[in-house]
Amino acid sequence: MRADLDIIQAWIAHGSRVLDLGCGQGELLCYLAEHKQVEGYGLEINHDNISACIEAGVNVIEKDIDDGLASIRDGSFDVVVMTQALQVMHRPDLIVDEMLRIGRECIVTFPNFGHWRARGYLGFRGQMPVSKFLPYTWYNTPNIHFCTFKDFERLCIERNIHIRERTVVDHQHRDRWWLRLWPNMLGEIAIYRITR
Amino acid sequence: MPTLFPDDSVGLVEPRLIHFDQPLRLASGRTLPEYDLVIETYGCLNADRSNAILICHALSGNHHVAGYHSPEERKPGWWDSAVGPGKPIDTNRFFVVGLNNLGGCHGSTGPNRPNPETGKPYGPDFPIVTVRDWVESQARLADHLGIRQWAAVIGGSLGGMQALQWAIDYPERLRHCMVIAAAPKLTAQNIAFNEVARQAISRDPQFHDGHYYEQDTIPKTGLMLARMVGHITYLSDGGMREKFGREMRSGTLNFDFNPQFEVESYLQYQGERFSTAFDANTYLLMTKALDYFDPAAAFEHSLSDALANTRCRFMVISFTTDWRFSPERSREIVDALVEARKPVSYAEIDSQQGHDAFLIPSPRYMEVFHAYMRRVAADVPMEATDAC
C-alpha cells in the first residue's frame, strides 16, 4: 500500500465508519475493510476508478465533491478522509468545514507548495513549478488551490480547527526523520488529522 | 442451428406457464384464489442453487427478456442487450429468470385472462396489484423453482422498484439488488403523466368501462394516446432533437393538421404498434402500481428506516438525461442506504437517451454493469454449467 495510506490506516480505529473523498481505486477502503472491519464508502468521479471499486467490492458513490456534501448528515461518520484532493477543490475551506460537520474526525493530505524544490523553481526560474510529482502546467492543472503547511495551519487557527496529529512524507510517501526538522521546507506531502 | 442467432444470444427460448393454487392475499384486501405466472429461464441452475438471478420487468415488459421465440422473430427479448453468454448477466454463469407479472397481458393471470369463477376475462374486475403483491408472487415463484436465495434481483424503472421491494420484504432471500433508473416513489409530475394516460384509455368510447373484450373491440385510440405521452417521457429533449430535429416528411409546410414532422409520425407509429400489442386494462393496472409504490410510507416516510432491515448489497444506476426518474431520485435511494449503513455503489451514466437509456447498451453503462456482475459472480461457485 502507498506509504501515506499506511500512515492514515494506522490512525483509523477498528470498526469505524469511514468516508473517503476521492477514493481512487478504493485501495484504502479495501485495506480497512479487510484488516479493520471498517464500514466505508468512497466518493469518486473518475469513471475507471469507479468501475475498479465496484469490481473490488468497495462501496463507491459517483459524486463530484465540489457539488457539496449536504445530503450527508452531521456526524454520520467516524472518520472522513481526503487524500491529495484538497488542492483541486473550488473551495477547500468549505470542504474542510463540511468534512468536519459529517465526520467526528478528518484526515487530510495535500502536496506542500512550500517545499524547497517548488520555492527554488519559482524563485530561480520565475515560473510555476512543474515536476514529476506535479506534472501539470499552470493552464491545464486540476490543482487550482495550492497551499503550504503554514497556509493550512493558519486556516485551522482561523476556523477553530484542532490539529490532533500531523506528519510529512516525501513525494514517494516515505516518512523520513529529517523531514520533520523543517517540514514546510523539506516535506512534500502533508498528512493532517483534525477535529473540531 | 448455431448460425441462426448471434453467438452472444441465448438463442431459441420457450416460455412456460406455472400454476399456483394457493390463494394470494393482495395489499388491496382482495384475494386471488389461484393464478398463473408465465416465465422464461436462461442458463443452468447450479447444484447449490446459488446462481439464480431474477429480472423484474417495467411497465410494458414481460417474461421474454432475452433470446428468440422463433427463428422468424424480428427482435429478441426486451433486455437481450444485457442477458446472454458473455453479456453482463452472463448466462454461462447465472440461471436467469424472467416473468410476466400478475395483471400483465402476456400470459400471466391478468385482465385479459379468464376469471375461473365466471369463465369470462377478468377485465376491470381484476384486482389492483401493487409492487409488494408482485414481489410476494415472485417469492412463491422462487419457492416453486427451489431457489432459496437469489444471487441478485435486478430491474430497471418499475422493475427497479420491485428489486428494492424485494430487499425490504425478503432481506434473507437476495445477496445483491440492482436498481436501475428507478425512484423511491413517484412525484406529482410522474402521477400526472400516468393520469393523462389513464384518462386517454378510459375515455375512449371503445373502452366500455373495461369490458371491451365482450364487445369484441379494443380502446385502440386511448391506448395509443397513452403510449404516445408515455413515450415522450422516456426520451430526452436533446435525444429527440438529435433523432428528429424539425425534420419533415415532405419538404414544405402543408398548412393542414396531418402529421408533418418526423417526430409526429414516429410517435404515431409507436403508439399504433403498442395499441394492438398491449392490453388497456393492464396498462391501467401498471400505472396504478407505479403510483402506489412508496415503501417508506409504512415507516413514517423514512426511506432509510424502510431499508434498515435489508441484508443485501446494492448497486444503483441512473442516467443523466432521464427526467422520468432523474438521477436525483436515484440519489435519494443511495442517501437513504448510506444513512441506513447499507453497502451501496452508485453510478450516474452520461447518456442522451433519457429514461430509455436503461435498455440501451452504451459503453460505460455496460462497463459498470459488467463490473458489478463480476462481483456478484465472485460469490457463486464456478462449475460446469452445460449439464442442464
Side-chain angles (χ1 to χ4, degrees), chain B residues 47-48 62 81 85 91 101 111 142 155 190 194 222 243 249-250 267 307 364 368 370 381:
Chain B
D48 65 356
N62 55 41
S81 60
T91 47
N101 278 328
N190 295 145
N194 283 344
K243 195 165 175 180
R249 300 168 69 195
S250 64
L267 274 183
L307 294 163
R364 185 174 176 232
V368 167
H370 267 294

Side-chain angles (χ1 to χ4, degrees), chain A residues 17 39 41 46-48 50-51 54-63 71-73 76-78, chain B residues 313 315 334-335 337-339 341-350 364 367-368 371-372 374-375:
Chain A
R17 209 167 127 75
E39 177 194 322
Y41 300 88
N46 178 286
H47 293 173
D48 293 335
I50 291 169
S51 294
I54 289 171
E55 195 162 349
V58 170
N59 295 321
V60 64
I61 293 166
E62 181 162 349
K63 186 172 173 63
S71 61
I72 305 171
R73 281 206 186 171
S76 50
F77 286 91
D78 296 314
Chain B
R313 303 182 73 92
M315 178 75 223
V334 174
D335 289 343
L337 285 166
V338 171
E339 201 182 316
R341 305 180 155 212
K342 303 300 172 185
V344 56
S345 286
Y346 170 62
E348 203 170 293
I349 311 292
D350 275 312
R364 185 174 176 232
E367 183 191 303
V368 167
Y372 195 76
R374 278 193 289 267
R375 166 94 194 101

Side-chain angles (χ1 to χ4, degrees), chain B residues 42-229:
Chain B
Y42 324 107
C44 298
L45 189 59
N46 63 7
D48 65 356
R49 294 163 186 257
S50 63
N51 70 334
I53 289 186
L54 177 67
I55 312 270
C56 302
H57 70 74
L59 197 145
S60 59
N62 55 41
H63 55 286
H64 187 31
V65 179
Y68 299 81
H69 282 160
S70 71
E72 290 77 38
E73 196 173 37
R74 200 169 53 89
K75 277 169 120 187
W78 59 269
W79 218 6
D80 197 74
S81 60
V83 179
K87 290 177 181 169
I89 302 172
D90 189 346
T91 47
N92 290 330
R93 298 283 338 245
F94 297 112
F95 174 68
V96 183
V97 180
L99 82 154
N100 185 210
N101 278 328
L102 281 176
C105 56
H106 293 96
S108 291
T109 299
N112 68 350
R113 305 295 301 164
N115 180 344
E117 281 168 20
T118 63
K120 285 195 279 185
Y122 273 103
D125 300 329
F126 193 84
I128 299 263
V129 281
T130 64
V131 170
R132 276 195 93 153
D133 297 330
W134 283 336
V135 167
E136 198 179 337
S137 68
Q138 290 161 6
R140 291 191 187 177
L141 171 63
D143 295 340
H144 176 89
L145 297 171
I147 296 159
R148 199 193 61 77
Q149 187 184 59
W150 299 101
V153 178
I154 302 175
S157 190
L158 177 55
M161 295 172 181
Q162 292 159 59
L164 199 60
Q165 191 75 54
W166 257 99
I168 295 167
D169 289 353
Y170 295 98
E172 313 280 344
R173 298 197 69 174
L174 66 163
R175 289 192 295 281
H176 295 271
C177 176
M178 199 157 175
V179 181
I180 306 169
K185 61 175 179 243
L186 264 61
T187 60
Q189 189 191 50
N190 295 145
I191 295 171
F193 276 114
N194 283 344
E195 180 58 9
V196 173
R198 284 191 292 265
Q199 288 293 326
I201 291 168
S202 60
R203 285 169 186 263
D204 185 321
Q206 303 301 318
F207 183 63
H208 299 287
D209 291 325
H211 294 285
Y212 47 87
Y213 314 100
E214 290 94 318
Q215 312 288 329
D216 214 20
T217 180
I218 53 167
K220 197 166 176 289
T221 309
L223 194 52
M224 176 180 147
L225 288 173
R227 183 60 170 181
M228 283 170 76
V229 73

Side-chain angles (χ1 to χ4, degrees), chain A:
Chain A
M1 191 160 60
R2 236 167 63 193
D4 58 336
L5 299 183
D6 200 40
I7 294 167
I8 293 168
Q9 68 81 14
W11 286 348
I12 294 173
H14 204 271
S16 306
R17 209 167 127 75
V18 176
L19 180 67
D20 188 352
L21 305 180
C23 65
Q25 307 214 337
E27 219 181 347
L28 177 67
L29 288 171
C30 231
Y31 179 90
L32 290 171
E34 213 169 294
H35 294 91
K36 294 197 163 183
Q37 280 69 54
V38 155
E39 177 194 322
Y41 300 88
L43 303 188
E44 184 55 60
I45 46 170
N46 178 286
H47 293 173
D48 293 335
N49 286 346
I50 291 169
S51 294
C53 286
I54 289 171
E55 195 162 349
V58 170
N59 295 321
V60 64
I61 293 166
E62 181 162 349
K63 186 172 173 63
D64 186 346
I65 304 160
D66 270 329
D67 292 342
L69 305 169
S71 61
I72 305 171
R73 281 206 186 171
D74 295 6
S76 50
F77 286 91
D78 296 314
V79 187
V80 181
V81 181
M82 187 160 71
T83 58
Q84 298 293 87
L86 191 68
Q87 74 283 358
V88 308
M89 296 290 123
H90 282 295
R91 284 294 299 270
D93 57 334
L94 299 182
I95 288 295
V96 171
D97 277 345
E98 276 292 87
M99 289 174 72
L100 288 163
R101 176 183 67 77
I102 59 183
R104 288 194 298 108
E105 188 177 300
C106 300
I107 298 169
V108 184
T109 83
F110 56 88
N112 173 30
F113 210 65
H115 182 254
W116 64 267
R117 216 179 271 132
R119 294 189 200 202
Y121 204 107
L122 186 59
F124 290 109
R125 297 201 194 185
Q127 287 180 307
M128 287 299 279
V130 178
S131 66
K132 216 188 234 176
F133 170 50
L134 295 168
Y136 303 97
T137 41
W138 64 273
Y139 48 81
N140 67 3
T141 179
N143 303 316
I144 53 176
H145 281 116
F146 273 126
C147 68
T148 69
F149 296 176
K150 268 192 179 171
D151 290 327
F152 184 76
E153 293 195 5
R154 178 166 293 175
L155 174 72
C156 291
I157 291 164
E158 279 171 15
R159 300 286 169 102
N160 273 322
I161 296 165
H162 172 62
I163 298 171
R164 277 193 61 180
E165 255 173 289
R166 60 171 192 191
T167 189
V168 292
V169 292
D170 67 14
H171 67 277
Q172 288 175 302
H173 305 101
R174 285 172 308 201
D175 185 8
R176 295 275 189 265
W177 65 267
W178 41 269
L179 299 178
R180 270 168 265 155
L181 295 178
W182 194 0
N184 201 32
M185 182 63 94
L186 301 174
E188 281 177 278
I189 295 170
I191 309 177
Y192 279 84
R193 188 178 183 188
I194 55 178
T195 58
R196 188 59 91 181

